[in-house]
Amino acid sequence: MSIRLFLLVALLSTITLVNFIAALHGYRASMEEAQRLFDRQITGTALLLAALPIDRTAPLVVEENDLQAFQVRSADGQLLMRSDNAPTTPIGDVQEGFSEQNFSGFRWRVYNHSAAGGRSIRVAERVDLRFRLADEVVLQSVMPILFGLPVAGLLIWLVIGRGLASLRQLASELRHKRAEDLTPLTLAAPPEELLPLVRSTNALLERLQASFERERRFSADAAHELRTPIAAIQVHADNLANLLRANDAAAPESLRQLQESISRMAHLVEQMLNLFRVTPEHYPARFEPIDLHRMAREVITELYPAFARRGQEIELQGHAAIIRGDRFALVLLLQNLLNNACKYTPEGGRVVVDVKQQEGVVLLRVQDSGPGMPAEERERVFERFYRVGGDRHESRAPGCGLGLSIVHHIAELHQARVSLDTSSLGCQQSPGLAVSVIFPLQVSK
């Protein structure tokens, strides 16, 4: 349930309940006061009639409104004067004071007053009419409260909205934070109630930042420290192979496997360094206008010997497409995409690189005629060290599972999207893989 709606309903319910109790109390108090006022009115009427000189043998009938009725009787009970709506029989009690009687089809409040000379003055007032008049008085005071509830609801809604503005700002800042952004929240002048939440969130972000930083530092330092001993082992292995060739001795199979393992380990260490080097939140990117088509041609030229050794055909399509990007990171992205294509495409296969600008974006698409990738695996391949089929991939190509993770990091750095699909170069046995990287023309930094 919405906090705003909950507060609105709760406050309106509270106001309505308090007003109802206050109105009920006011109604009772008003009715009591109205009764006293009406009683004083008929008492005054009785005193006025008592002051009139009345000495008649026949009763005088006076036209009166429907609200009141009266009788004036002599000491011996003779009717001297009455209103036209009063009966001829005595009304009220014999004793002086107030009482209630029924006559003429209504309930009446009767006041009996004993005047000088033994005369009896009896003034009656209809109970239903006096209650109706009292209800109208009370209703006039209650109606503004009822009509004011919608206005109060609107004002409460606006005031609560204003009070929740800081909460909406906090929610907006959290919603727009990127996954890798662990910087503290910068909520301006948060209210006292939100301070514990902001402080707790910032403390959590700080702990996460420190934890990720330790992980990155450890991986980067470990990879960096491993480069030197791996290079030394590689040199010794190459020296041993050269020495065996110089003595016309056959190199054992174990030496060849050792050299392949050293190359694989060196590749793994280099990829780990590249992965942590291009982390979007820490990479010191230098954005400049870059012709992605021309860069792709240069990288293809650099890597062409690897394609030629495997008898693969590589083709560059498209046209010039200018984006703002970091040169080192984009070269690394192209190298990883082309190395993957070369590695997983069988000998004699085909690789096509397409770069073009369309509908406000620049599309880089690398397709191969390799074994492709199952649709259910296409999300997981961006995870670090994940390989489809593990080390038992059907292509038997060595790898460490970091290439597409590096591509994904570099795409995030350029606010680009990476998608995987089936290649148009494939066939039923080898559906191939198409990797598309969609760059925006403008990168907000």
Side-chain angles (χ1 to χ4, degrees):
M1 188 177 184
S2 166
I3 295 178
R4 192 177 194 180
L5 185 58
F6 169 77
L7 290 176
L8 175 65
V9 173
L11 289 175
L12 277 182
S13 301
T14 303
I15 291 174
T16 304
L17 178 62
V18 171
N19 283 337
F20 174 76
I21 295 174
L24 182 61
H25 177 75
Y27 176 79
R28 294 179 60 182
S30 298
M31 287 301 298
E32 291 175 0
E33 182 62 26
Q35 291 288 355
R36 287 192 290 269
L37 289 175
F38 288 132
D39 286 347
R40 283 198 292 268
Q41 181 180 357
I42 62 176
T43 300
T45 303
L47 295 176
L48 179 62
L49 291 173
L52 294 177
I54 303 175
D55 187 13
R56 297 181 57 85
T57 56
L60 177 63
V61 179
V62 179
E63 185 178 351
E64 182 61 278
N65 55 36
D66 293 333
L67 183 61
Q68 287 187 347
F70 65 86
Q71 289 179 346
V72 180
R73 292 182 179 275
S74 63
D76 56 2
Q78 183 182 358
L79 183 62
L80 301 178
M81 185 171 63
R82 70 178 179 88
S83 60
D84 58 350
N85 58 349
T88 56
T89 58
I91 59 175
D93 296 336
V94 178
Q95 297 180 352
E96 186 170 353
F98 289 96
S99 63
E100 291 190 2
Q101 301 292 329
N102 294 326
F103 62 87
S104 301
F106 295 100
R107 186 73 171 172
W108 300 78
R109 176 81 165 169
V110 182
Y111 176 66
N112 186 10
H113 174 64
S114 298
R119 286 186 302 169
S120 173
I121 314 297
R122 300 180 183 184
V123 181
E125 191 171 57
R126 281 174 54 179
V127 174
D128 63 316
L129 293 179
R130 63 160 51 186
F131 271 103
R132 186 185 304 171
L133 292 174
D135 288 344
E136 290 179 358
V137 172
V138 173
L139 189 62
Q140 292 298 323
S141 62
V142 172
M143 288 304 294
I145 299 176
L146 296 179
F147 288 125
L149 283 177
V151 178
L154 177 60
L155 293 177
I156 291 173
W157 179 268
L158 296 176
V159 170
I160 293 175
R162 176 62 178 171
L164 294 177
S166 298
L167 189 59
R168 288 198 302 272
Q169 183 182 351
L170 175 61
S172 175
E173 186 169 348
L174 288 172
R175 184 170 56 253
H176 290 92
K177 260 186 176 296
R178 300 177 63 184
E180 69 277 2
D181 182 11
L182 298 177
T183 56
L185 299 175
T186 56
L187 192 63
E192 184 177 350
E193 291 77 8
L194 278 185
L195 278 177
L197 177 60
V198 174
R199 290 169 180 167
S200 300
T201 304
N202 284 340
L204 175 62
L205 292 174
E206 185 178 350
R207 291 195 298 271
L208 287 174
Q209 176 76 11
S211 176
F212 291 154
E213 183 60 32
R214 284 193 300 269
E215 179 192 352
R216 281 189 291 266
R217 193 182 305 117
F218 172 78
S219 301
D221 291 346
H224 187 271
E225 292 299 323
L226 286 173
R227 294 178 77 181
T228 300
I230 290 174
I233 296 172
Q234 193 167 22
V235 169
H236 290 308
D238 291 342
N239 288 339
L240 179 58
N242 293 333
L243 180 61
L244 291 174
R245 280 195 297 269
N247 293 325
D248 295 327
E253 178 65 19
S254 59
L255 178 59
R256 186 189 64 80
Q257 293 177 355
L258 174 63
Q259 288 178 313
E260 289 181 356
S261 298
I262 293 172
S263 297
R264 183 175 179 181
M265 186 178 297
H267 175 69
L268 170 62
V269 170
E270 195 64 33
Q271 287 289 75
M272 288 177 63
L273 283 174
N274 288 334
L275 177 67
F276 293 103
R277 189 180 297 161
V278 296
T279 303
E281 63 268 23
H282 291 97
Y283 181 69
R286 296 180 179 178
F287 286 87
E288 58 180 300
I290 294 175
D291 185 347
L292 194 59
H293 188 272
R294 180 177 180 180
M295 177 178 285
R297 184 171 64 248
E298 294 172 354
V299 174
I300 290 172
T301 302
E302 176 187 344
L303 300 179
Y304 183 76
F307 290 92
R309 281 194 300 270
R310 305 195 64 190
Q312 296 169 344
E313 177 187 348
I314 183 167
E315 178 184 353
L316 175 62
Q317 297 178 351
H319 49 78
I322 307 298
I323 65 170
R324 285 189 57 82
D326 181 86
R327 185 171 296 276
F328 171 81
L330 290 176
V331 168
L332 191 59
L333 179 142
L334 284 164
Q335 287 175 345
N336 275 278
L337 290 178
L338 293 176
N339 281 330
N340 274 356
C342 177
K343 185 188 304 181
Y344 293 106
T345 301
E347 294 184 359
R350 186 182 177 204
V351 177
V352 174
V353 181
D354 189 10
V355 180
K356 57 186 175 182
Q357 180 175 337
Q358 57 180 24
E359 298 179 356
V361 298
V362 172
L363 173 64
L364 167 64
R365 189 173 178 88
V366 178
Q367 301 186 76
D368 61 52
S369 57
M373 184 183 300
E376 61 272 13
E377 300 279 357
R378 291 174 185 171
E379 289 297 327
R380 294 202 60 190
V381 293
F382 296 111
E383 300 175 9
R384 294 178 295 177
F385 302 108
Y386 180 80
R387 296 190 71 204
V388 177
D391 290 334
R392 297 182 297 276
H393 192 273
E394 61 183 26
S395 68
R396 299 189 179 183
C400 59
L402 291 177
L404 287 178
S405 295
I406 294 173
V407 169
H408 191 261
H409 275 198
I410 296 174
E412 283 189 340
L413 182 69
H414 292 80
Q415 299 174 13
R417 303 193 314 274
V418 184
S419 62
L420 306 179
D421 203 353
T422 303
S423 172
S424 61
L425 307 178
C427 58
Q428 186 173 1
Q429 293 76 17
S430 297
L433 180 67
V435 183
S436 301
V437 186
I438 303 174
F439 294 90
L441 288 179
Q442 296 294 331
V443 180
S444 59
K445 283 291 179 181

